[in-house]
Amino acid sequence: MSLLQIRHTTTYRFHRPVAFGPHRLMLRPRESRDLRVISNTVTLAPQASVSWAHDVSGNAVATATFQAGGDLLVVESLTQIQLDAVAWPVFDIAGSAQSFPFRYSDDEWKDLGALGTPQYPDPGNHLRTWAQGFVRAIPTDTLSLLKDLSMGVSQAISYQSRDEEGTQAPVQTLQRGWGSCRDFALLFVEAARSLGFGARIVSGYLHNPDQSQTGSDGAGSTHAWGEVFVPGAGWIPFDPTNRSMGGSNLIPVAVVRDIRQAIPVAGSFIGDTLAFRDMAVDVRVW
């Protein structure tokens, strides 16, 4: 069991005062059998009224409404959690799904919906062909296939941190041969979908106390990975950036169909279009 603190601070600076539109915040970790939120406090400057709801995927989403503007906007989330995920999990996969290919039940396939369908163009089936290369035989062990696919991402792609917004399309990542953790996660999820798996993107935090993991400059950072639904075992986490399986050092905040749905802080301002100066994000996990 680990008791962890997470401080996530987003700061926007402007050259001159502006008015702030509503902001959508995805900063509260998802509770589960392995993760319990002990406390979560969101502080904003200038002050704002905050309302909470859950989106279609069960993610906690806050909407901040501001009464005053200014030339500085600070959003800070301070969270304490209890993380019980084990380092070497054993997944109880149903007998019907232990070998690939397998068939989801009709209800599972309906519920997975778009999570089982690739979301990005794949001209010439480039991505699908690459993913098929990890299928060593028919049938083959399902979990071994998914492990190979996750490791194959980091073997084919070099990690490179990117500060700019957005995510590369999977085919683009394959062609370039480099990407950030969110590019790795999207490539893995789309490759799994191309093979017929239900898969989703997860956005959250990486706990990296000994700084041995890729994707963090310190003891923690924001991070992205993927989950694949396997009957019996449920949603299995795969972190292709670090070639790992399971969630012992992963703190999920949002599960989404597409990475663009998991932006931690999103909003608008009203004023001169040239008023925006810069944005800084500081994340600490300890």
Side-chain angles (χ1 to χ4, degrees):
M1 180 184 74
S2 300
L3 291 176
L4 301 175
Q5 304 270 357
I6 308 161
R7 178 180 284 114
H8 186 154
T9 306
T10 304
T11 304
Y12 296 92
R13 297 181 178 87
F14 299 84
H15 293 292
R16 58 192 67 87
V18 297
F20 300 118
H23 277 59
R24 181 177 183 270
L25 315 176
M26 299 184 76
L27 298 168
R28 180 185 173 91
R30 286 174 61 93
E31 295 197 70
S32 67
R33 182 176 59 83
D34 297 327
L35 189 154
R36 182 169 71 91
V37 176
I38 299 172
S39 64
N40 173 250
T41 303
V42 176
T43 306
L44 300 106
Q47 291 186 347
S49 61
V50 178
S51 60
W52 289 89
H54 286 88
D55 67 11
V56 69
S57 297
N59 304 308
V61 181
T63 300
T65 305
F66 298 87
Q67 300 300 320
D71 59 5
L72 181 69
L73 170 60
V74 180
V75 180
E76 181 179 85
S77 172
L78 181 60
T79 307
Q80 183 180 31
I81 67 167
Q82 176 180 309
L83 186 63
D84 294 329
V86 298
W88 305 103
V90 176
F91 297 102
D92 189 15
I93 297 175
S96 61
Q98 290 181 359
S99 295
F100 174 88
F102 64 87
R103 185 179 184 277
Y104 289 111
S105 70
D106 291 344
D107 282 341
E108 287 171 337
W109 192 243
K110 285 180 181 178
D111 292 338
L112 286 168
L115 299 179
T117 305
Q119 302 293 300
Y120 288 76
D122 182 19
N125 289 321
H126 183 54
L127 174 63
R128 178 175 171 78
T129 300
W130 179 79
Q132 286 282 358
F134 295 94
V135 181
R136 311 301 183 188
I138 296 293
T140 192
D141 183 76
T142 297
L143 195 57
S144 295
L145 168 60
L146 291 170
K147 287 180 182 178
D148 289 348
L149 183 62
S150 178
M151 293 184 64
V153 171
S154 58
Q155 290 171 346
I157 309 301
S158 299
Y159 177 81
Q160 182 173 318
S161 178
R162 292 192 296 113
D163 294 328
E164 65 269 22
E165 296 181 3
T167 305
Q168 297 173 168
V171 172
Q172 186 179 31
T173 299
L174 277 178
Q175 292 173 339
R176 288 182 172 181
W178 57 266
S180 67
C181 64
R182 58 188 186 270
D183 302 314
F184 278 57
L186 181 57
L187 174 57
F188 169 75
V189 165
E190 284 286 280
R193 288 170 176 168
S194 76
L195 293 177
F197 289 100
R200 62 189 185 184
I201 300 283
V202 189
S203 176
Y205 304 103
L206 172 68
H207 182 222
N208 188 20
D210 57 5
Q211 299 187 36
S212 62
Q213 303 291 303
T214 300
S216 173
D217 293 328
S221 67
T222 55
H223 197 54
W225 60 97
E227 289 183 345
V228 178
F229 184 80
V230 180
W235 291 102
I236 301 179
F238 291 90
D239 180 5
T241 304
N242 291 295
R243 304 185 182 187
S244 64
M245 180 180 66
S248 63
N249 63 334
L250 301 173
I251 304 165
V253 170
V255 296
V256 293
R257 172 179 51 82
D258 194 340
I259 189 67
R260 61 182 175 80
Q261 298 171 305
I263 300 172
V265 179
S268 61
F269 70 88
I270 302 170
D272 185 349
T273 56
L274 299 179
F276 180 74
R277 179 180 173 185
D278 58 38
M279 179 188 76
V281 178
D282 179 61
V283 174
R284 300 183 184 183
V285 182
W286 70 97

